[in-house]
């Protein structure tokens, strides 16, 4: 059993995939073919997202258990603290321990359906407090989220990096970034982290854009900016599903190859549960 932080000791890019639980109306088993197809690509780990406020916690844990114990892949469970009491947090951490998962991506989460009041029920208001709790009471390897363009609630990058520094100082072992489409933004971010003495391993989050609708939704949710090259791509291919998918995959390949040339520690692909496209990208970029 390997902790994620130890994977970066090898002189090779750590490759990871993020999957999400199927929508409630579908059985959990609908994800198993996806996991099998992703396993063929020999990822260093797979992470499973978590519905903030615990809305999908049982499914997240069920899938994480399967990935770890049946597919024999190193696993990260995402876990959010928004709206959760101390007891709920402890209960979940015990469950994660029981399913044999050693790695947690510890997040604050967002209030479900804009229920701002769910914040008031929360034991912890920031991810750093959850991370402090986990590190003090348990033996998990803990990751945190990083935002190369700042966070939606904190667009001032310097301040956001100050907050990230606090989170890292609480014992965060590795980071996974929010998506971005302009590598230049990431390299500048990395410089700033260096100046602050943040030097823990970072998995760079990459999302292949496969249709024009997806990009608008994603960018409004996470605040990633769309560079002119991508805008031109959407203008040209947005109405043609096949060409849009093809050019979106080429864009992701270009981003990944450039990151690999810059010797990033890890590439984390937001798979959107689309293993075929991920497979093409991973093979074309020579990551596998
Ligand atoms: P934090 O690090 O706590 O930051 C939240 C905000 O608080 C930021 O604006 C920060 O600047 C500010 N802040 C932090 N510390 C302080 C302080 N001391 N004083 C004042 N302000 C402060 N969400 C899900 O629901 N489920 C998932 O599975 C999931 N997976 C994700 C995976 C990745 C890789 C990423 C990047 C995000 C993911 N999210 C997920 C989204 C995440 O929950 C949201 O972005 C959320 O708004 C912030 O979570 P955080 O852990 O980054 O919070």
């Amino acid at each position: 059993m390997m902790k994620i932080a130890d994977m970066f000791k090898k002189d090779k890019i750590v490759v990871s995939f993020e999957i999400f639980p199927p929508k409630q109306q579908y059985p959990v088993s609908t994800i198993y073919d996806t996991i099998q197809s992703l396993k063929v690509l020999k990822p260093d780990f797979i992470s499973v997202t978590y519905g903030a406020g615990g809305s999908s916690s049982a499914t997240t844990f069920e899938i994480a258990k399967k990935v770890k114990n049946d597919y024999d892949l190193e696993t990260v469970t995402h876990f959010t603290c928004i709206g959760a009491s101390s007891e709920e947090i402890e209960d979940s951490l015990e469950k994660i321990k029981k399913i044999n998962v050693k790695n947690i991506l510890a997040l604050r989460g967002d209030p479900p359906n804009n229920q701002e009041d769910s914040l008031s029920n929360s034991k912890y208001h920031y991810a750093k407090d959850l991370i402090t709790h986990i590190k003090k009471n348990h033996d998990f390897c803990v990751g945190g989220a990083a935002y190369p363009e700042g966070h939606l609630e904190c667009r001032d990058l310097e301040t956001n990096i100050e907050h990230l520094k606090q989170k890292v100082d609480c014992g965060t072992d590795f980071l996974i970034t929010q998506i971005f489409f302009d590598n230049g933004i990431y390299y500048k971010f990395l410089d700033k982290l260096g100046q602050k003495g943040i030097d823990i391993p970072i998995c760079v989050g990459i999302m292949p854009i496969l249709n024009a609708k997806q990009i608008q939704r994603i960018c409004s949710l996470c605040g990633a900016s769309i560079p002119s090259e991508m805008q031109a791509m959407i203008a040209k291919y947005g109405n043609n599903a096949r060409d849009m998918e093809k050019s979106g995959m080429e864009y992701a390949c270009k981003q990944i190859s450039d990151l690999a040339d810059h010797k990033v520690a890890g590439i984390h692909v937001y798979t959107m549960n689309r293993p075929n496209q991920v497979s093409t990208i991973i093979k074309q970029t020579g990551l596998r």
Side-chain angles (χ1 to χ4, degrees):
M1 174 150 11
M2 200 172 198
K3 289 188 174 177
I4 302 305
D6 294 330
M7 294 178 177
F8 297 91
K9 291 174 184 158
K10 292 184 283 178
D11 190 22
K12 236 175 111 203
I13 294 178
V14 168
V15 177
S16 54
F17 300 140
E18 180 169 312
I19 58 173
F20 52 80
K23 291 204 176 91
Q24 266 174 358
Q25 63 265 38
Y26 301 110
V28 179
S29 57
T30 53
I31 190 110
Y32 296 160
D33 286 348
T34 301
I35 302 170
Q36 181 55 42
S37 304
L38 292 173
K39 180 181 161 94
V40 173
L41 300 169
K42 299 191 168 50
D44 291 291
F45 70 89
I46 283 187
S47 82
V48 188
T49 66
Y50 185 88
S55 55
S56 74
S57 63
T59 330
T60 297
F61 296 159
E62 190 177 341
I63 295 169
K65 179 179 177 193
K66 196 92 183 166
V67 175
K68 173 72 189 149
N69 301 289
D70 294 358
Y71 290 89
D72 197 23
L73 289 167
E74 218 41 81
T75 310
V76 173
T77 6
H78 296 210
F79 180 57
T80 66
C81 60
I82 200 161
S85 65
S86 303
E87 293 75 26
E88 285 163 337
I89 290 171
E90 263 316 299
D91 184 51
S92 292
L93 294 173
E94 286 306 322
K95 281 184 183 143
I96 297 172
K97 212 176 282 176
K98 276 208 185 95
I99 60 173
N100 198 25
V101 169
K102 274 282 180 196
N103 306 285
I104 296 178
L105 183 67
L107 303 145
R108 186 199 64 180
D110 294 309
N113 306 323
N114 298 326
Q115 291 165 26
E116 294 295 337
D117 59 341
S118 67
L119 264 176
S120 62
N121 304 324
S122 305
K123 166 79 176 164
Y124 299 125
H125 286 198
Y126 297 113
K128 70 180 170 65
D129 304 318
L130 174 65
I131 291 168
T132 304
H133 175 103
I134 298 175
K135 281 295 180 183
K136 188 166 158 226
N137 300 295
H138 300 272
D139 178 30
F140 288 108
C141 172
V142 179
Y147 301 84
E149 297 186 68
H151 182 254
L152 275 179
E153 290 160 37
C154 181
R155 290 313 259 174
D156 179 62
L157 189 57
E158 300 294 334
T159 311
N160 189 235
I161 291 175
E162 259 320 309
H163 296 152
L164 181 63
K165 169 84 175 129
Q166 291 171 7
K167 190 151 78 173
V168 170
D169 289 346
C170 292
T172 306
D173 296 295
F174 67 99
L175 297 169
I176 304 184
T177 76
Q178 184 56 280
I179 54 170
F180 56 86
F181 301 108
D182 176 350
N183 287 359
I185 289 176
Y186 181 66
Y187 301 137
K188 280 192 200 134
F189 177 68
L190 211 50
D191 278 349
K192 286 183 196 286
L193 298 195
Q195 285 159 20
K196 291 271 177 217
I198 298 175
D199 61 356
I200 59 174
I202 305 178
C203 302
V204 181
I206 293 291
M207 180 179 283
I209 292 301
L210 304 176
N211 65 66
K213 241 201 204 144
Q214 172 200 1
I215 188 164
Q216 259 111 35
R217 196 176 55 85
I218 294 295
C219 291
S220 69
L221 281 177
C222 77
S225 56
I226 309 178
S228 52
E229 191 189 341
M230 184 169 257
Q231 275 171 13
M233 181 182 97
I234 297 164
K236 194 163 173 195
Y237 302 115
N239 291 326
N240 180 324
R242 217 184 53 191
D243 288 352
M244 183 65 211
E245 179 171 318
K246 186 166 165 272
S247 52
M249 284 166 68
E250 277 166 14
Y251 194 98
C253 286
K254 234 167 80 181
Q255 250 196 302
I256 291 173
S257 298
D258 181 68
L259 289 161
D261 288 347
H262 282 76
K263 308 230 169 315
V264 297
I267 299 279
H268 182 75
V269 184
Y270 292 92
T271 70
M272 293 165 298
N273 297 355
R274 306 272 300 267
N276 296 342
Q277 287 81 352
V278 173
S279 170
T280 306
I281 290 167
I282 291 293
K283 285 176 185 157
Q284 260 175 29
T285 51
L287 282 180
R288 287 291 184 267

